[in-house]
Amino acid sequence: QVQLVESGGGLVQAGDSLRLSCVASGRTSWYTVGWFRQAPGKERESAAITWSDGITYYADSVKGRFTISRDNAKNTVYLQMNSLKPEDTAVYYCATGPPGIGVRQSEYNYWGPGTQVTVSS
């Protein structure tokens, strides 16, 4: 069993930066870890994913502004978010699952409770 807890969300203005953290406890074999987000009235979508071999994926909407990184010694994955826009407002979740999974949310079986990010214009 893996427990995930996100932190670092908050209320910021457009153009500001935030760094989200996802700390894992329990059976923490970090494989693929993803950051997903759900905006009000919209479906949850993938934002950024990191695989254990260092490969990363970014949604087009965040590419060039967000950076996902991991510190395996601290069982922590980060999401650095720069140049935030009002459309980045969402609840951000981190998730992980078994080796070899991809970008589909259904492949991730451990999820954190989420952290709210609100970007004002």
Side-chain angles (χ1 to χ4, degrees), residues 15-16 26 30 43 55-56 59 61 69-70 86 101 105 114 120:
D16 286 350
W30 280 119
E43 293 187 355
I55 294 175
T56 57
S61 57
S69 62
R70 60 203 300 164
I101 59 177
Q105 297 179 49
S120 63

Side-chain angles (χ1 to χ4, degrees), residues 21-111:
S21 299
C22 173
V23 179
S25 60
R27 184 172 57 83
T28 54
S29 296
W30 280 119
Y31 298 115
T32 306
V33 181
W35 281 99
F36 300 83
R37 64 184 186 179
Q38 186 167 21
K42 296 186 177 181
E43 293 187 355
R44 190 165 57 189
E45 62 180 8
S46 58
I49 297 170
T50 176
W51 282 269
S52 58
D53 58 3
I55 294 175
T56 57
Y57 158 87
Y58 296 95
D60 288 342
S61 57
V62 307
K63 200 172 294 182
R65 300 186 298 121
F66 290 12
T67 302
I68 188 170
S69 62
R70 60 203 300 164
D71 185 336
N72 291 331
K74 295 182 178 180
N75 286 337
T76 303
V77 173
Y78 303 99
L79 185 67
Q80 178 67 43
M81 306 186 295
N82 298 329
S83 303
L84 283 163
K85 305 175 181 179
E87 50 263 45
D88 294 319
T89 295
V91 178
Y92 284 73
Y93 302 89
C94 71
T96 190
I101 59 177
V103 302
R104 292 182 301 179
Q105 297 179 49
S106 59
E107 298 177 286
Y108 293 73
N109 48 6
Y110 296 107
W111 291 80

